[in-house]
Amino acid sequence: MREKGFTLIELMMVVVIIGILASIAIPNFMSMRGRAKEASLKSNMHTLQLSAENFSSMAEGAYPATCATTVSEVLADLGFGAVTAAVKSIAGGANGVSPSGSDVLLPLSFKNPFLPTVNAWVSGAAGTISGCTYYECLPTGASTSAEEYSIRGFGKDALLVLVLTAGQ
């Protein structure tokens, strides 16, 4: 009569099979995490592009010089004087009165998918911080507005191939 239970050989075979499965699954999981972070960075880039285009539609076709430029500043620079009540109310002011800086339409922060403690956007030329989205404008002189912009993202190790510009 045989006792119930597993032999040492059977247990070792189960451990070997689990090890083989883990050696296949863990690298695939890590690769999938990397692709998800790159996708999050591309989403941040697209959000910044949509915000820049929305800003342009409110600022008579001008793009912001930096991520902190307000619609009011651009309209004043273009010679429109006082900002209209419609722009103020769209930008979030109550009763047509825009609190200081409330008509900044570019998002002031994104979650960085690679480095959670670092802001995910930087105003200026593309750098080398993983997970950062770079907004660079081509201003017309010393004004607060621009005619073109480019948005670049830096992935885990290199600049992403995706470069977003005005009119795309």
Side-chain angles (χ1 to χ4, degrees), residues 19-92:
I20 291 171
L21 292 174
S23 69
I24 293 170
I26 290 174
N28 286 339
F29 174 74
M30 298 305 260
S31 173
M32 192 177 301
R33 278 185 63 195
R35 287 192 309 266
K37 288 178 180 180
E38 293 276 336
S40 177
L41 176 59
K42 288 179 182 178
S43 174
N44 286 347
M45 292 169 65
H46 187 65
T47 300
L48 190 58
Q49 180 189 28
L50 291 175
S51 297
E53 293 297 332
N54 186 29
F55 185 104
S56 172
S57 69
M58 292 178 63
E60 299 296 321
Y63 296 104
T66 68
C67 290
T69 303
T70 65
V71 175
S72 304
E73 292 171 342
V74 172
L75 289 176
D77 188 44
L78 292 173
F80 285 94
V83 180
T84 64
V87 171
K88 288 180 182 178
S89 64
I90 291 171

Side-chain angles (χ1 to χ4, degrees), residues 113-165:
F114 293 97
L115 304 168
T117 59
V118 177
N119 191 12
W121 72 260
V122 178
S123 203
T128 59
I129 300 172
S130 292
C132 277
T133 300
Y134 295 90
Y135 175 84
E136 181 181 21
C137 74
L138 306 169
T140 53
S143 67
T144 58
S145 63
E147 293 177 355
E148 297 180 36
Y149 67 87
S150 70
I151 297 171
R152 301 179 189 316
F154 197 83
K156 181 175 179 167
D157 298 320
L159 191 65
L160 291 181
V161 176
L162 180 63
V163 177
L164 306 173
T165 57

